[in-house]
Each structure stands twice: as C-alpha cells, then as structure tokens.
Amino acid sequence: MFRKQALPRIPIGEYLSLFRSYLKPQRKRMTLLAALLIGGIGLQLVNPQIIRYFIDTAGSQQSGEPLVWAAVLFIGVSLIQQLINVSASYMGANVGWMATNQLRVDVAAHCLKLDMAFHKQQTAGSIIERVDGDINNLSNFFSQFAIMLVSNVLLVAGMLVLLFREGWLIGSGMLLFVVFALMAIRYVRRFAVPHWTKVREVSAKFYGFLGEHLEGTEDTRASGATGYVMHRFFTLMREWLPLRVRAFFGWASMWITTIIVFTIGNAVAFTVSYYLWQKGSITLGTVYMVFYYTELMAKPIEQIRTQMEDLQKADASIGRVRELLQTSSSIQDGPGGAIPGGPLGVAFNRVHFSYEGDRSTLADVDFRLEPGQVLGLLGRTGSGKTTLARLLLRFYDPGEGSITVGGVDIRRAKLQELRSRVGMVTQTIELFQGTIRDNLTFFDERVADERIVQVLEELGMGQWLLSLPQGLDTRLESGGGGLSAGEAQLLSFARVFLTDPGLVILDEASSRLDPGTEQRIEQAMNRLLEGRTCIIIAHRLATIERADRILILEEGRMLEQGDRVKLAANPDSRYSRMLRVGMEEMLA
C-alpha cells in the first residue's frame, strides 16, 4: 500500500489544509501565542538601543543617574523578555500537543475503518509507527513552524529597518547577508529531505517487524527461530544505520552552513562599522549596536534553519500520513437499509469471491437459510467456510452476486448496524488487559451487570464468576493469560450473546475445548440460540446435530446442500456417507 520510493515534495496547500483543520479550533491560543511572540520581538529590538544609549552617554554624563536608569530598564526588559519566552514555549507546546493528538485520533480512526485487505498487507508495528512516530514529528510543525517562522521574519525585518535608519551602507550590507544566508540554507535543505523520508520508511519497517515477532515470541522460541529473528533484526539495523548517518549529515550540512554564514555576517558588520566609525559617521555605541544586531540576527536565522529542519521531517511525515488518510477502504458504508429485529434470514445469490488473482475462493455459492434455522457448514480446510462467514460481516465484498441478511442487501446496510446484528465466535480468542466486564461489553456502560451475570450463568459459568474475589471487576491479562482455553472460549461466547444478534456464526468455536467444556456449551446452546438464526462451521459431526440444513463446500463450490434429516436418510448423499464413515475420514 505504501510506496517505497521517496515521496514527492508536499505542496503548500497541504500545509495550509493541515493548519485549517487542526489549528482552527485553537484560534484563541494561537492568537495569544502570536501576541507573545510579537511582544518578544519588540523587546529584542529595544534592548540594543538601550545599550547604545548607555555607551554613548557613559563618557559625557557627569551624573550617573541616567546610566543607572538605563541599566535598570535593560534588566527589566530582559526579565520580561524571558518571561514572554517561557510563556510562548509553554503555549506552543500546548498547541502542538492538542493538534497532533487530534490528528492521531483521526488517523487511528481511519485505520480502524480500512478493510481487511489493508490490514493483511500492513503489520501492526508499521501502522503504530505511522500513527505515533510520523505524527510526533509534526508536533513542532503545528506548535511553532508558522508562527515562529513569521515572527523570526518580522524580527529580521525589524532589525534591517533599524539598521537602514543608521545608514544605507549598514542596512544594505546586512540585507545582502540575510538574503545570502536564507538562499544558502534553502539550497542545502534540498539534499537533506529525501534522507528523512527514507529514515521514516525504514523505521516503520523495523517497528513492524519488531512488534510482529514480540507478539509471537512464544511460537518463535518453541520453533527454535530465535536465531533467524535476531539475524533479521540486525539486518534491518544495518539498513537503518547508513540512512540515519546520511540524514545526520544532511542536518550537519545545514548546521555548518549556518555557522559559516554567521561568520561572514560578523565580518561584514565589523568591516562596515569600522569604515563608518573611522569616517566619524557613527558613534561607538552605534558600532556596538550594529554588532549586537548582527549577533542577534543569528538567532532568528538559526531558528529559521531549525524550522526548516522540522519541515524536512514534516515533509516526510505529512506525505506518509496523507497517503494513509487517502487510502480508501474497498468496503464502503451502505446508505442505511434497516435490518429487521428477531432472527435473520440469510441468502447467498450466485456469489463469487477471490482474495487475489484468478483463483476463486468461492464460486457460484447459492443457498437460502430461513429465519431461526441452523445451518451446518462442512468442508475441508481451505474450502471457503471461513470466507463465507467473513462475507456475511462485510470484512470483504463478493466479486459477483449478492448477499442478503433479513431480506436486506448487506451492501445497503450500515456497517455498524450489520455487525451489531451478526455475531461471530471463532476458535481464536481475543481478550485484552482489562476487567471481565470490559472484555465482555467493550466498555459499553449501557450493558447492565445483571444481564452479564445472566448470560454467564446460562453458559454454566455462574460458579466460576462467584469464585472470583472481585467478580466482574477481576482484571484479565492480555490474550486471556490466567484463563483456561475453555474459560476464554466461553467468555467469547458470552461477549457475542450480550449484543443480542439475530444471526450467530460459530466458526469451529468449540475446536479448542475439552469434551467436558464442549458439553457445557452444548447444554447452553439450545437456550442461547433460541429465537436466532445460526451458522455452525464444524469439524465434528456431533456439533451440527442441531442443524436444520447442511451445506458442504469443496474448493469453494457447493458440493451438497439440503435438509439435514433428508440428507442423512439418503444413502447416496455425501452427508450420509460422512455419518457412516466419519466426517474426519471423509474430509481427510
């Protein structure tokens, strides 16, 4: 999804769009920040004038009182200037943090809306690096870039105006110095930007790899693959290092260029000031003021250089964030066809689907399941059973044909409504750090504790819940650590039934359970599935004894379908042979 080559230079409109979107809500803070920075500029311009007055009058004044007042004024202005600088820094950091947090929220929400094809192509670590790493690089851009750039330009312009007032020669010399400095920095910056882009790309690759293997560390160690992982780790580090070095040299080239430019500026100031002083055109205080302004000019030019460095990082990060935000999901929300309440009928109308290429995962699948019926879905591994379930939840859309749930084409339904009415339990249990209540309700405070307890009791977990010292407030470890496989699976059942779906899909949900736990689920299933339609993807014949209809898939095609009792009574049916020989042998 993400291109590997360097991203193109970001147009100015992209920056303006970001400013409008994320800084407009902070207009008051931005106004205050601008006022603080402008006030600081004024004070920086005043101080050299005070020093000049002090020097020029020190030898001519018989009374020291004016000098004392000048010194007091200088100290007061300096203290106020420092207070303004601290306030501006705090305000700028606040603005940047709030803006980047909002952008981070938008990017994370967008990633959650993208289709499964996108998430299959990206590792979790790679996405996290974009949501966190790239956006962190934009913090200074949001908090300081525009205002600091404008304020520094105003400071330089103010000093040039004051220097021109002292003489056209001084003003012209400093103007040439400023133009030369900015052109030199701009020229050097062109060579540094691509390196920051590549650094961010390799950083995303590295953290994606690291996150993936830290998550699967148990399998890595069990398979003896630690050596390979560390070899790949060092390979990525070796790839990262030279790019970091080149990016550093890009930054260093800008830093060295700035030092050289400042040295030239000081030389120009000394030369012009000495020439005019020798002619008697300026006083010694003015000489010091010119030199002071030249030294002071180094600060805004240095900050402009720093802002350009931040712009380098922003160029790369904005390009990557923009590319992510412009990645659209192939699964678009429907206009809002209302799905009815109660048990939901299901119809597949000549559905064809392929994950990629020409190889069909499902081909010409056509069947109907009436509301309240139970479908037993059978087939070898890779026959398309799980794909059929994913299509019902619109994790993917079929290439041809249509699917209706409750008589509504699922492409017309809102995704949130569809997924709230269709529940799915798989053999992979996703539990996270949090309380039992949070794991079952996904932080939905509208679900009453009484309802949670009722569902757990129907699943035969009432005594288990009573044995916990903190009840529903008991905290679980990430991945369900501390729970048996059966307990974790039962919690996943409870989570689905709390949403009160009209259609329940059980994707080999009891395959990890021991016979005793599976029996407990079987006993509760009749009560929990009452008034609901169900699709059971099974690997044991006993699991589908409650099915009203049977559908057998073979390489994505319908091999057989029909009423379970009639198929069982037909000695020529595939299902009947499974009952006689055993499903495991038939599907081997």
Side-chain angles (χ1 to χ4, degrees), residues 169-171 173-174 267-277 282 290:
L169 190 58
I170 296 175
M174 289 301 99
V268 171
F270 273 124
T271 302
V272 174
S273 298
Y274 175 76
Y275 171 74
L276 294 174
W277 182 71
I282 59 174
V290 172

Side-chain angles (χ1 to χ4, degrees), residues 326-447:
Q326 289 178 347
T327 301
S328 60
S329 174
S330 61
I331 307 297
Q332 297 297 316
D333 210 1
I339 298 177
L344 300 173
V346 177
F348 274 61
N349 304 304
R350 306 189 70 85
V351 169
H352 292 256
F353 175 76
S354 174
Y355 285 105
E356 56 184 28
D358 298 327
R359 183 176 176 273
S360 293
T361 306
L362 292 176
D364 201 25
V365 175
D366 194 282
F367 71 91
R368 183 174 298 275
L369 186 64
E370 298 300 326
Q373 286 189 331
V374 177
L375 175 69
L377 185 57
L378 308 176
R380 290 186 174 91
T381 299
S383 61
K385 304 186 300 297
T386 299
T387 299
L388 187 147
R390 289 172 176 168
L391 292 179
L392 277 168
L393 285 161
R394 281 203 77 197
F395 290 159
Y396 303 90
D397 276 338
E400 298 179 27
S402 64
I403 302 171
T404 61
V405 171
V408 177
D409 190 320
I410 60 174
R411 284 191 173 115
R412 294 192 54 79
K414 291 289 186 182
L415 286 171
Q416 184 175 2
E417 182 183 5
L418 173 67
R419 291 168 184 172
S420 67
R421 299 287 292 126
V422 179
M424 184 173 179
V425 182
T426 69
Q427 58 183 317
T428 303
I429 303 100
E430 296 291 345
L431 298 174
F432 50 86
Q433 284 186 340
T435 65
I436 291 175
R437 180 188 296 102
D438 293 339
N439 269 278
L440 294 180
T441 66
F442 284 110
F443 304 95
D444 187 351
E445 297 179 355
R446 296 172 298 177
V447 181

